[in-house]
């Protein structure tokens, strides 16, 4: 009985939409987007094209280039901040600051940086005599450019989590290691990183899920272009359901089911492979 | 304990039941819901017999200066209605967002009485079976259709009958940077007329600095499907089959034919030769490039002229020229783009429908259109607006705007320049942008790119036609 409120909330906001998604994914739509006839697995077989393969590839690549640099970068930052320097607190705040930006705000800032006509990045490059880079209009550069923006957005949160992890390492362990003569690199690889592994594991799992769900920065920076180079699975779902007067909720729902399956697999694999190496205290 | 819990559950269930009935009651509101005459045009007596004030919800997609012009128009109308009608303007986001919300409102049976929909949503609105065709009101009132610019009206007409009232209309223009022309000794008073001429001039107008860096491009425009639609229309080509979808439902798009491929090839050659900059699909970015003076020739709608003139003040002179043609033999004219007003019948009372029509009639008056024209830069849909004094003064101040009006009047009425009526036109436009972009960035040869793009939209067209056919 005490569980009832949470069960109701879960049923209403998680299970019902999930069931509805499955239902929609097996139905066609009328011109207003309301489900019409039953079409079986048609929406799923529609996905067996090279185009959808490209979407999956883009999604995988985007996840890779936004998760790994953000986690490793945050680790490097946190280890460097371990050094007893003056103003380290200021630096720690500065590195954690991106966390305070919403995705939309940060994306708009990056849109100004990358702007093809009046962008800051090209302005700086021009000042040192380098020809302009088509950040968001060259299909081979757009995805890394959006990935870079995402890394910046995620860095703050990652730094925050890892800093907390470092602070939680018992000082006597570090003290003992220092007495044994471990400093710098050896201290990091032998003591700090293994003791941070729960936090690192958490970040990898959570950032992967976040990356797979990324929407705001893609919508604001590239709208999935150029030449679909930044159309990830979530963006493709959005386009099918809402963009350009489209209301193919059936096709979009089928893709959403695929996204769910991919996330489940990713998370399961991460728990199966990575978690064994995690050292819980 | 058990019994009190049971009683509580019972009471809860009752409350839910009552609440849902209430919600359902609200949803189907209005007095004539789905009755057969929902799509008829009521006469003036409908408003008189309705007691009190009739409220008309008006969804629109105008922002910035244009939203201010809408608010002014609505305030003027409300004041003139003598307290009988109140129009409530509601901004719903972009055109795409407005039509997406409209679709949802149809499902929830809560449509606004009046909605502004972009030109390419017209076929969908006809097929939605929700709206009272404008010609029914026109017949009822003996409204003088000479007050509507015929070239603009033709876009919103199906089988010769007007379905919606044009509201904001724009035509495409070729924009020139006068000083950029003069610096290379080109004559800005003799603007290029064809794509080939733009291409030749673009080479002369591209300027590099000592280090080989390009400081000014000859040409630059957004990868915007509307521009391609316009070029095809000036070439007299129909964008989709079955007489641009005006004889019966269009079954395929035709932008992958020779003329469309030629445009893609021309554009790709300019970009890949370094004579045109590719700023992507966002019109804002292409506009920024022209305003920054880094692009000498540029294609855009008339509706941005005011902003260009303001932004270029003190830096360079903005000139306008008629929209280019694909080649010398092209004998068509551009399509009048923009948006129109639709009156919803289903779920709305006779008084609401009538009140919406009264506002539509008011908005298309000469004085209102002159104010709209000068406040926004859109072409007036009522030719008499051009004779209003504020309009004359404005055109005298911004002579560049003459080009759009002249171009509009020189337009030979044709099926091609009436524009394509297609239920999935917004997606077709997006597909054409996919094709252009693939050619411009060099992902595919132009012909392949346009063929693939046209093929990609086919399933959507088929499924749309199946669901309304």
């Amino acid at each position: 009985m005490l569980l009832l409120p949470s069960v109701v909330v879960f049923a209403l906001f998680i299970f019902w939409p999930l069931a509805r998604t499955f239902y929609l994914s097996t139905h066609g739509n009328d011109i207003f987007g309301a489900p019409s006839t039953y079409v079986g697995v048609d929406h799923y077989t529609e996905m067996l094209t090279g185009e959808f393969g490209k979407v999956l590839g883009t999604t995988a690549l985007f996840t890779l280039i936004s998760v790994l640099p953000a986690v490793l970068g945050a680790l490097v930052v946190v280890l460097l901040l371990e050094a007893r320097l003056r103003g380290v607190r200021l630096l720690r705040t500065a590195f954690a600051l991106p966390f305070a930006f919403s995705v939309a705000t940060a994306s708009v800032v990056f849109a100004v940086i990358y702007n093809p006509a009046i962008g800051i990045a090209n302005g700086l490059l021009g000042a040192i005599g380098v020809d302009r880079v088509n950040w968001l209009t060259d299909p081979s550069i757009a995805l890394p450019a959006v990935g870079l923006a995402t890394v910046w957005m995620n860095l703050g949160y990652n730094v925050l989590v890892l800093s907390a992890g470092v602070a939680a390492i018992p000082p006597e362990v570090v003290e003992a290691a220092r007495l044994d003569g471990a400093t710098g690199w050896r201290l990091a690889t032998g003591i700090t990183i293994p003791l941070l592994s729960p936090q690192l594991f958490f970040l990898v799992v959570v950032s992967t899920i976040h990356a797979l769900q990324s929407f705001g920065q893609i919508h604001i920076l590239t709208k999935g272009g150029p030449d679909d180079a930044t159309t990830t699975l979530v963006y493709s779902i959005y386009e099918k359901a809402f963009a350009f007067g489209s209301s193919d909720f059936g096709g979009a729902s089928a893709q959403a089911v695929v996204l769910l399956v991919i996330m489940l697999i990713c998370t399961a694999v991460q728990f199966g492979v990575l978690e064994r190496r995690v050292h819980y205290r | 304990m058990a019994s009190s819990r049971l009683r509580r559950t019972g009471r809860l269930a009752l409350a839910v039941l009552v609440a849902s009935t209430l919600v359902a009651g609200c949803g189907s509101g209005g007095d004539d819901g789905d009755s057969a005459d929902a799509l008829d045009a009521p006469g003036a007596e409908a408003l008189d017999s309705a007691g009190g004030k009739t409220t008309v919800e008006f969804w629109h997609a105008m922002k910035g200066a244009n939203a201010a012009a809408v608010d002014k128009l609505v305030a003027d109308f409300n004041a003139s209605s003598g307290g009988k009608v109140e129009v409530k303007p509601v901004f719903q986001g972009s055109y795409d967002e407005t039509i997406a919300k409209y679709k949802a409102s149809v499902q929830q049976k809560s449509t606004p009485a009046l909605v502004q929909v972009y030109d390419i949503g017209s076929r969908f609105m006809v097929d939605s079976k929700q709206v009272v065709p404008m010609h029914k009101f026109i017949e009822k009132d003996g409204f003088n259709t000479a007050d509507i610019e015929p070239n603009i009206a033709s876009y919103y007409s199906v089988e010769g009958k007007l379905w919606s009232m044009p509201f904001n209309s724009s035509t495409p223009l070729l924009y020139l940077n006068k000083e950029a022309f003069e610096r290379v000794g080109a004559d800005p008073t003799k603007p290029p007329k064809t794509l080939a001429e733009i291409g030749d001039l673009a080479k002369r107008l591209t300027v590099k600095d000592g280090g080989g860096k390009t400081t000014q491009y000859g040409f630059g425009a957004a990868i915007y499907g509307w521009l391609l639609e316009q070029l095809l229309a000036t070439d007299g080509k129909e964008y989709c089959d079955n007489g641009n979808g005006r004889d019966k439902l269009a079954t395929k798009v035709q932008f992958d034919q020779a003329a469309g491929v030629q445009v893609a090839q021309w554009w790709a050659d300019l970009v890949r030769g370094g004579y045109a900059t590719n700023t992507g699909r966002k019109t804002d970015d292409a506009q920024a490039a022209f305003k920054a003076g880094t692009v000498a020739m540029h294609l855009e709608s008339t509706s941005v002229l005011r902003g260009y003139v303001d932004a270029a003040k003190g830096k360079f002179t903005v000139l306008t020229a008629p929209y280019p043609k694909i080649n010398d033999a092209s004998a068509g004219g551009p399509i009048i783009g923009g948006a129109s007003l639709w009156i919803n019948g289903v779920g709305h009372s006779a008084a609401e429908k009538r009140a919406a029509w009264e506002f539509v009639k008011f908005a298309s008056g000469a004085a209102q259109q002159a104010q709209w024209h000068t406040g926004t830069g859109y072409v007036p849909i009522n030719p008499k607006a051009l004779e209003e004094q504020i309009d004359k003064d404005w055109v005298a101040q911004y002579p560049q705007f003459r080009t759009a009006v002249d171009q509009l009047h020189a337009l030979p009425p044709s099926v091609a320049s009436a524009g394509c009526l297609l239920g999935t036109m917004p997606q077709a436009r997006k597909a054409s942008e996919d094709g252009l972009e693939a050619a411009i960035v060099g992902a595919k040869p132009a012909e392949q790119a346009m063929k693939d793009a046209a093929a990609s939209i086919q399933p959507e067209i088929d499924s749309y036609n199946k669901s309304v056919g």
Side-chain angles (χ1 to χ4, degrees):
Chain A
M1 202 61 201
L2 287 173
L3 281 174
L4 192 65
S6 66
V7 169
V8 168
V9 169
F10 253 68
L12 206 61
F13 292 103
I14 309 279
F15 300 134
W16 165 240
L18 191 62
R20 183 81 183 156
T21 303
F22 278 114
Y23 170 80
L24 286 177
S25 76
T26 54
H27 285 74
N29 298 101
D30 66 12
I31 60 172
F32 305 111
S36 51
T37 49
Y38 175 76
V39 297
V41 294
D42 281 8
H43 289 311
Y44 293 91
T45 50
E46 267 167 33
M47 282 185 256
L48 301 173
T49 59
E51 220 172 292
F52 191 69
K54 189 182 165 191
V55 169
L56 290 183
T58 306
T59 311
L61 193 60
F62 177 76
T63 306
L64 200 69
I65 62 173
S66 60
V67 171
L68 285 186
V71 173
L72 295 179
L75 182 62
V76 170
V77 168
V78 167
L79 290 178
L80 290 178
L81 287 179
E82 276 303 280
R84 289 178 171 57
L85 290 172
R86 262 150 56 97
V88 97
R89 290 170 70 87
L90 193 71
L91 282 176
R92 199 170 283 157
T93 316
F95 277 109
L97 204 57
F99 179 52
F101 281 78
S102 71
V103 170
T105 320
S107 302
V108 170
V109 170
F110 272 90
V112 173
I113 293 175
Y114 288 143
N115 188 297
I118 49 172
I120 296 165
N122 280 341
L124 290 176
L125 287 180
I128 56 168
V130 180
D131 208 353
R132 63 181 70 220
V133 175
N134 294 322
W135 295 104
L136 300 177
T137 52
D138 183 329
S140 57
I141 298 174
L143 190 64
V146 177
L148 187 68
T150 311
V151 167
W152 184 84
M153 289 172 207
N154 293 343
L155 198 66
Y157 178 70
N158 294 359
V159 166
L160 224 50
V161 169
L162 292 182
S163 296
V166 167
I169 294 174
E172 55 270 23
V173 176
V174 179
E175 203 60 28
R178 283 191 197 280
L179 282 178
D180 286 343
T183 51
W185 178 250
R186 257 194 74 79
L187 183 69
T189 53
I191 303 292
T192 318
I193 294 177
L195 287 179
L196 275 181
S197 57
Q199 281 82 9
L200 288 171
F201 177 64
F202 166 78
L203 285 182
V204 168
V205 173
V206 170
S207 329
T208 306
I209 293 175
H210 273 171
L212 287 171
Q213 294 176 333
S214 290
F215 175 78
Q217 60 269 55
I218 295 170
H219 190 55
I220 292 172
L221 288 174
T222 61
K223 295 214 186 297
D227 196 25
D228 291 338
T230 56
T231 301
T232 59
L233 191 44
V234 167
Y235 204 75
S236 161
I237 292 170
Y238 161 76
E239 283 195 333
K240 263 202 170 317
F242 302 110
F244 314 112
S246 170
S247 47
D248 182 5
F249 293 117
S253 297
Q255 293 196 353
V257 171
V258 170
L259 178 64
L260 176 72
V261 171
I262 290 175
M263 280 195 194
L264 285 178
I265 293 174
C266 275
T267 312
V269 167
Q270 284 167 346
F271 268 89
V273 176
L274 288 181
E275 205 195 13
R276 289 182 208 185
R277 294 157 160 266
V278 172
H279 176 88
Y280 290 106
R281 257 180 287 131
Chain B
M1 185 68 190
S3 74
S4 88
R5 198 186 297 154
L6 199 67
R7 211 178 305 141
R8 211 178 304 146
T9 322
R11 220 178 293 153
L12 184 74
L14 189 70
V16 168
L17 201 68
V18 169
S20 56
T21 331
L22 279 176
V23 169
C26 293
S28 60
D31 37 322
D32 63 354
D34 294 324
S35 66
D37 61 356
L39 302 184
D40 275 349
E45 70 285 353
L47 215 47
D48 298 331
S49 61
K53 189 184 268 187
T54 306
T55 305
V56 173
E57 199 171 305
F58 170 33
W59 286 10
H60 68 86
M62 300 277 96
K63 58 184 174 187
N66 297 350
V70 167
D71 290 342
K72 168 103 174 68
L73 187 64
V74 168
D76 289 351
F77 171 75
N78 287 344
S80 77
S81 81
K84 288 203 70 97
V85 180
E86 190 184 3
V87 173
K88 285 190 175 156
V90 185
F91 173 65
Q92 294 289 2
S94 68
Y95 286 139
D96 271 334
E97 285 160 4
T98 305
I99 203 165
K101 286 179 189 169
Y102 177 76
K103 284 182 179 182
S105 77
V106 171
Q107 285 194 56
Q108 292 154 7
K109 301 199 191 332
S110 61
T111 55
L114 190 63
V115 60
Q116 178 196 22
V117 174
Y118 53 6
D119 46 8
I120 55 177
S122 301
R123 181 74 236 179
F124 165 80
M125 292 303 289
V126 170
D127 291 331
S128 74
K129 300 191 170 68
Q130 299 285 317
V131 297
V132 185
M134 210 53 76
H135 66 85
K136 288 194 183 172
F137 282 106
I138 289 173
E139 285 153 17
K140 192 104 192 168
D141 276 25
F143 181 82
N144 186 6
T145 47
D147 287 352
I148 312 169
E149 184 75 45
N151 280 320
I152 301 178
S154 70
Y155 195 109
Y156 305 102
S157 299
V158 181
E159 288 157 4
K161 297 200 161 184
L162 194 67
W163 271 73
S164 60
M165 185 64 86
F167 184 54
N168 53 316
S169 294
S170 55
T171 66
L173 289 177
L174 170 64
Y175 285 89
L176 309 171
N177 178 328
K178 182 173 174 233
E179 283 74 16
F181 270 67
E182 287 168 353
R183 275 195 296 273
V184 300
D187 185 357
T189 62
K190 291 205 184 79
K193 292 196 180 65
T194 62
L195 295 187
E197 286 177 31
I198 292 183
D200 290 340
L201 261 171
K203 288 173 194 170
R204 285 173 64 192
L205 287 164
T206 300
V207 181
K208 294 188 181 219
D209 68 4
K213 240 165 36 95
T214 307
T215 53
Q216 176 185 297
Y217 289 96
F219 176 78
I223 302 175
Y224 183 24
W226 185 69
L227 299 175
L228 172 69
E229 291 156 28
Q230 299 294 349
L231 283 169
L232 294 180
T234 58
D235 201 37
K237 297 287 188 297
E238 288 163 19
Y239 191 82
C240 50
D241 67 350
N242 289 336
N244 251 346
R246 283 163 198 279
D247 300 336
K248 54 182 178 180
L249 284 180
T251 62
K252 65 181 168 69
V253 291
Q254 305 184 142
F255 60 68
D256 56 338
Q257 293 181 359
V261 172
Q262 192 187 336
V263 172
Q265 187 67 53
W266 165 82
W267 203 328
D269 286 346
L270 278 182
V271 169
R272 305 191 72 66
Y275 306 116
T277 175
N278 171 20
T279 48
R281 296 191 196 195
K282 283 191 215 161
T283 48
D284 284 350
D285 290 349
Q287 290 170 10
F290 182 73
K291 285 194 277 196
T294 57
V295 160
M297 292 181 286
H298 171 69
L299 301 177
E300 247 300 352
S301 151
T302 46
S303 59
V304 297
L305 174 59
R306 185 70 178 266
Y308 281 3
V309 171
D310 291 346
K313 211 164 265 171
K315 289 191 284 185
F316 64 92
T317 315
V318 178
L319 293 183
T320 55
Y323 201 66
K325 296 175 183 299
I326 291 185
N327 54 49
D328 290 323
S330 301
I335 307 162
I336 311 301
S340 63
L341 301 178
W342 297 78
I343 296 176
N344 281 296
V346 177
H348 294 280
S349 67
E352 277 173 38
K353 289 187 279 183
R354 183 69 204 181
W357 162 246
E358 293 293 342
F359 173 71
V360 167
K361 222 166 34 172
F362 177 83
S364 44
Q368 284 73 29
Q369 278 295 313
Q371 200 170 61
W372 177 249
H373 177 206
T374 55
T376 62
Y378 284 110
V379 181
I381 63 142
N382 186 335
K384 287 184 193 138
L386 296 169
E387 288 149 29
E388 297 278 323
Q389 195 54 43
I390 60 162
D391 210 287
K392 285 181 178 166
D393 294 347
W394 194 70
V395 174
Q397 196 189 343
Y398 297 102
Q400 294 97 325
F401 206 85
R402 273 239 68 90
T403 316
V405 175
D406 292 346
Q407 179 170 277
L408 178 65
H409 289 144
L411 186 64
S414 72
V415 178
S417 64
C420 162
L421 268 190
L422 182 68
T424 54
M425 189 60 195
Q427 288 147 284
R429 175 178 286 177
K430 192 254 177 187
S432 75
E433 290 168 0
D434 289 344
L436 285 175
E437 191 165 52
I440 288 169
V441 302
K444 289 173 191 168
E447 187 171 0
Q448 191 64 41
M450 298 312 280
K451 285 244 169 337
D452 289 356
S456 75
I457 181 73
Q458 200 57 52
E460 271 93 353
I461 298 175
D462 293 344
S463 102
Y464 182 92
N465 288 349
K466 211 170 87 186
S467 60
V468 300

